[in-house]
Short mmCIF file of all heavy atoms in Angstrom, two decimals:
data_model
loop_
_atom_site.label_atom_id
_atom_site.label_comp_id
_atom_site.label_asym_id
_atom_site.label_seq_id
_atom_site.Cartn_x
_atom_site.Cartn_y
_atom_site.Cartn_z
N VAL A 28 -16.52 -53.54 -48.17
CA VAL A 28 -16.46 -54.86 -48.80
C VAL A 28 -16.85 -55.91 -47.80
O VAL A 28 -17.59 -56.85 -48.10
CB VAL A 28 -15.18 -55.14 -49.58
CG1 VAL A 28 -15.01 -56.56 -50.01
CG2 VAL A 28 -14.95 -54.18 -50.67
N ARG A 29 -16.31 -55.85 -46.63
CA ARG A 29 -16.64 -56.80 -45.52
C ARG A 29 -18.12 -56.85 -45.35
O ARG A 29 -18.68 -57.94 -45.17
CB ARG A 29 -15.96 -56.44 -44.23
CG ARG A 29 -16.25 -57.37 -43.12
CD ARG A 29 -15.51 -57.00 -41.81
NE ARG A 29 -14.06 -57.06 -41.96
CZ ARG A 29 -13.18 -55.93 -41.88
NH1 ARG A 29 -13.71 -54.75 -41.71
NH2 ARG A 29 -11.98 -56.13 -42.05
N GLU A 30 -18.76 -55.68 -45.31
CA GLU A 30 -20.21 -55.60 -45.02
C GLU A 30 -20.96 -56.48 -46.14
O GLU A 30 -22.00 -57.05 -45.87
CB GLU A 30 -20.68 -54.22 -45.00
CG GLU A 30 -22.10 -54.10 -44.62
CD GLU A 30 -22.55 -52.57 -44.51
OE1 GLU A 30 -21.74 -51.80 -44.02
OE2 GLU A 30 -23.68 -52.25 -45.03
N LEU A 31 -20.43 -56.39 -47.38
CA LEU A 31 -21.10 -57.02 -48.49
C LEU A 31 -20.78 -58.63 -48.42
O LEU A 31 -21.66 -59.40 -48.58
CB LEU A 31 -20.71 -56.47 -49.90
CG LEU A 31 -21.10 -55.02 -50.09
CD1 LEU A 31 -20.41 -54.50 -51.29
CD2 LEU A 31 -22.67 -54.94 -50.15
N ALA A 32 -19.57 -58.89 -48.25
CA ALA A 32 -19.05 -60.31 -48.34
C ALA A 32 -19.47 -61.07 -47.14
O ALA A 32 -19.80 -62.37 -47.42
CB ALA A 32 -17.51 -60.30 -48.50
N ILE A 33 -19.45 -60.65 -46.00
CA ILE A 33 -19.66 -61.50 -44.82
C ILE A 33 -21.06 -62.03 -44.70
O ILE A 33 -21.47 -62.91 -43.94
CB ILE A 33 -19.21 -60.66 -43.57
CG1 ILE A 33 -18.69 -61.73 -42.52
CG2 ILE A 33 -20.24 -59.75 -43.04
CD1 ILE A 33 -17.29 -62.36 -42.86
N ARG A 34 -22.02 -61.39 -45.52
CA ARG A 34 -23.38 -61.76 -45.57
C ARG A 34 -23.61 -63.17 -46.19
O ARG A 34 -24.67 -63.70 -46.04
CB ARG A 34 -24.26 -60.69 -46.26
CG ARG A 34 -24.40 -59.33 -45.61
CD ARG A 34 -25.08 -58.37 -46.50
NE ARG A 34 -25.13 -57.09 -46.06
CZ ARG A 34 -25.52 -56.05 -46.66
NH1 ARG A 34 -26.01 -56.14 -47.88
NH2 ARG A 34 -25.47 -54.80 -46.11
N LEU A 35 -22.67 -63.48 -46.94
CA LEU A 35 -22.81 -64.73 -47.81
C LEU A 35 -22.41 -65.93 -46.90
O LEU A 35 -21.47 -65.81 -46.01
CB LEU A 35 -21.88 -64.61 -48.92
CG LEU A 35 -22.12 -63.50 -49.86
CD1 LEU A 35 -21.12 -63.30 -50.91
CD2 LEU A 35 -23.61 -63.72 -50.67
N PRO A 36 -23.03 -67.11 -47.08
CA PRO A 36 -22.84 -68.35 -46.23
C PRO A 36 -21.34 -68.72 -46.25
O PRO A 36 -20.77 -68.84 -47.32
CB PRO A 36 -23.78 -69.28 -46.85
CG PRO A 36 -24.78 -68.57 -47.60
CD PRO A 36 -24.15 -67.25 -48.03
N GLU A 37 -20.90 -69.06 -44.98
CA GLU A 37 -19.67 -69.63 -44.79
C GLU A 37 -18.43 -68.80 -45.33
O GLU A 37 -17.34 -69.45 -45.59
CB GLU A 37 -19.54 -71.09 -45.42
CG GLU A 37 -20.58 -72.02 -44.72
CD GLU A 37 -20.71 -73.41 -45.16
OE1 GLU A 37 -19.57 -73.93 -45.57
OE2 GLU A 37 -21.71 -74.01 -45.13
N VAL A 38 -18.52 -67.52 -45.45
CA VAL A 38 -17.35 -66.66 -45.92
C VAL A 38 -16.52 -66.43 -44.61
O VAL A 38 -16.92 -66.19 -43.58
CB VAL A 38 -17.97 -65.28 -46.29
CG1 VAL A 38 -16.76 -64.31 -46.53
CG2 VAL A 38 -18.59 -65.62 -47.73
N THR A 39 -15.14 -66.47 -44.91
CA THR A 39 -14.21 -66.19 -43.91
C THR A 39 -13.35 -65.08 -44.41
O THR A 39 -13.23 -64.89 -45.59
CB THR A 39 -13.30 -67.39 -43.51
OG1 THR A 39 -12.65 -67.87 -44.80
CG2 THR A 39 -14.18 -68.55 -42.94
N GLU A 40 -12.74 -64.35 -43.55
CA GLU A 40 -11.82 -63.33 -43.88
C GLU A 40 -10.32 -63.67 -43.44
O GLU A 40 -10.20 -64.36 -42.31
CB GLU A 40 -12.17 -62.00 -43.08
CG GLU A 40 -11.27 -60.81 -43.34
CD GLU A 40 -11.87 -59.54 -42.76
OE1 GLU A 40 -12.99 -59.52 -42.19
OE2 GLU A 40 -11.05 -58.51 -42.62
N LYS A 41 -9.43 -63.49 -44.30
CA LYS A 41 -8.06 -63.87 -44.00
C LYS A 41 -7.14 -62.84 -44.45
O LYS A 41 -7.36 -62.24 -45.57
CB LYS A 41 -7.82 -65.17 -44.62
CG LYS A 41 -6.41 -65.82 -44.41
CD LYS A 41 -6.23 -67.24 -44.96
CE LYS A 41 -4.83 -67.77 -44.88
NZ LYS A 41 -4.77 -69.09 -45.46
N VAL A 42 -6.00 -62.61 -43.80
CA VAL A 42 -4.87 -61.75 -44.28
C VAL A 42 -3.70 -62.69 -44.64
O VAL A 42 -3.29 -63.55 -43.84
CB VAL A 42 -4.48 -60.80 -43.21
CG1 VAL A 42 -3.25 -59.92 -43.69
CG2 VAL A 42 -5.60 -59.78 -42.79
N ASP A 43 -3.33 -62.63 -45.92
CA ASP A 43 -2.27 -63.53 -46.42
C ASP A 43 -0.90 -63.05 -46.07
O ASP A 43 -0.76 -61.94 -45.51
CB ASP A 43 -2.55 -63.88 -47.84
CG ASP A 43 -2.25 -62.69 -48.79
OD1 ASP A 43 -1.66 -61.82 -48.41
OD2 ASP A 43 -2.67 -62.79 -49.92
N SER A 44 0.02 -63.72 -46.47
CA SER A 44 1.49 -63.43 -46.12
C SER A 44 1.98 -62.08 -46.96
O SER A 44 2.99 -61.58 -46.54
CB SER A 44 2.37 -64.56 -46.42
OG SER A 44 2.37 -64.90 -47.77
N PHE A 45 1.24 -61.75 -47.95
CA PHE A 45 1.48 -60.45 -48.62
C PHE A 45 0.85 -59.21 -47.99
O PHE A 45 1.02 -58.15 -48.48
CB PHE A 45 1.06 -60.58 -50.07
CG PHE A 45 1.77 -61.63 -50.85
CD1 PHE A 45 1.16 -62.74 -51.16
CD2 PHE A 45 3.12 -61.44 -51.27
CE1 PHE A 45 1.81 -63.77 -51.81
CE2 PHE A 45 3.79 -62.36 -52.07
CZ PHE A 45 3.15 -63.61 -52.28
N GLY A 46 0.02 -59.48 -46.95
CA GLY A 46 -0.77 -58.35 -46.27
C GLY A 46 -2.12 -58.15 -46.93
O GLY A 46 -2.81 -57.21 -46.52
N HIS A 47 -2.43 -58.91 -47.94
CA HIS A 47 -3.81 -58.68 -48.61
C HIS A 47 -4.81 -59.28 -47.71
O HIS A 47 -4.77 -60.42 -47.22
CB HIS A 47 -3.78 -59.40 -49.92
CG HIS A 47 -2.72 -58.99 -50.92
ND1 HIS A 47 -1.94 -59.87 -51.60
CD2 HIS A 47 -2.45 -57.71 -51.34
CE1 HIS A 47 -1.13 -59.15 -52.41
NE2 HIS A 47 -1.37 -57.91 -52.19
N THR A 48 -5.91 -58.59 -47.64
CA THR A 48 -7.07 -59.06 -46.92
C THR A 48 -7.92 -59.82 -48.11
O THR A 48 -8.13 -59.25 -49.14
CB THR A 48 -7.95 -58.00 -46.42
OG1 THR A 48 -7.17 -57.16 -45.44
CG2 THR A 48 -9.23 -58.33 -45.77
N SER A 49 -8.38 -60.92 -47.69
CA SER A 49 -9.17 -61.80 -48.62
C SER A 49 -10.43 -62.26 -47.99
O SER A 49 -10.49 -62.38 -46.72
CB SER A 49 -8.37 -62.91 -49.12
OG SER A 49 -8.08 -63.91 -48.15
N PHE A 50 -11.45 -62.48 -48.83
CA PHE A 50 -12.66 -63.04 -48.26
C PHE A 50 -12.73 -64.29 -49.14
O PHE A 50 -12.53 -64.41 -50.33
CB PHE A 50 -13.91 -62.14 -48.62
CG PHE A 50 -13.90 -60.98 -47.63
CD1 PHE A 50 -13.39 -59.84 -48.05
CD2 PHE A 50 -14.40 -61.05 -46.36
CE1 PHE A 50 -13.37 -58.75 -47.07
CE2 PHE A 50 -14.40 -60.04 -45.46
CZ PHE A 50 -13.86 -58.89 -45.87
N ARG A 51 -13.11 -65.38 -48.36
CA ARG A 51 -12.98 -66.80 -49.01
C ARG A 51 -14.16 -67.63 -48.65
O ARG A 51 -14.88 -67.26 -47.65
CB ARG A 51 -11.79 -67.57 -48.30
CG ARG A 51 -10.45 -66.77 -48.64
CD ARG A 51 -9.38 -67.30 -47.74
NE ARG A 51 -8.11 -66.85 -48.13
CZ ARG A 51 -7.28 -67.40 -48.97
NH1 ARG A 51 -7.51 -68.59 -49.45
NH2 ARG A 51 -6.17 -66.88 -49.46
N VAL A 52 -14.49 -68.58 -49.40
CA VAL A 52 -15.52 -69.61 -49.14
C VAL A 52 -14.76 -70.99 -49.45
O VAL A 52 -14.13 -71.05 -50.57
CB VAL A 52 -16.80 -69.42 -50.02
CG1 VAL A 52 -16.57 -69.38 -51.52
CG2 VAL A 52 -17.86 -70.36 -49.58
N ASN A 53 -14.83 -71.86 -48.51
CA ASN A 53 -14.29 -73.14 -48.73
C ASN A 53 -12.71 -72.90 -48.89
O ASN A 53 -12.06 -73.65 -49.68
CB ASN A 53 -14.94 -73.87 -49.86
CG ASN A 53 -14.61 -75.42 -49.74
OD1 ASN A 53 -14.53 -75.90 -48.71
ND2 ASN A 53 -14.57 -76.04 -50.93
N ASP A 54 -12.23 -71.91 -48.19
CA ASP A 54 -10.81 -71.47 -48.33
C ASP A 54 -10.34 -71.09 -49.76
O ASP A 54 -9.17 -71.00 -50.06
CB ASP A 54 -9.87 -72.55 -47.83
CG ASP A 54 -8.53 -71.82 -47.38
OD1 ASP A 54 -8.52 -70.73 -46.82
OD2 ASP A 54 -7.47 -72.56 -47.42
N LYS A 55 -11.24 -70.80 -50.63
CA LYS A 55 -10.93 -70.28 -52.02
C LYS A 55 -11.30 -68.79 -51.96
O LYS A 55 -12.39 -68.39 -51.76
CB LYS A 55 -11.82 -71.06 -53.00
CG LYS A 55 -11.42 -72.42 -53.26
CD LYS A 55 -12.27 -73.00 -54.28
CE LYS A 55 -11.91 -74.54 -54.47
NZ LYS A 55 -12.85 -75.12 -55.42
#
């Protein structure tokens, strides 16, 4: 999923307090 998501402009990866990995744009 990282390989697909990180290609998109301004995408960031974050691990939240629940331990979920998320991909975000504009912190959404």
Side-chain angles (χ1 to χ4, degrees):
V28 172
R29 180 180 294 117
E30 187 176 321
L31 296 170
I33 212 71
R34 295 177 186 169
L35 300 167
E37 299 183 27
V38 168
T39 58
E40 182 176 347
K41 182 178 178 181
V42 177
D43 67 18
S44 59
F45 296 105
H47 300 130
T48 301
S49 65
F50 289 96
R51 301 165 170 266
V52 59
N53 203 29
D54 204 33
K55 292 182 181 175

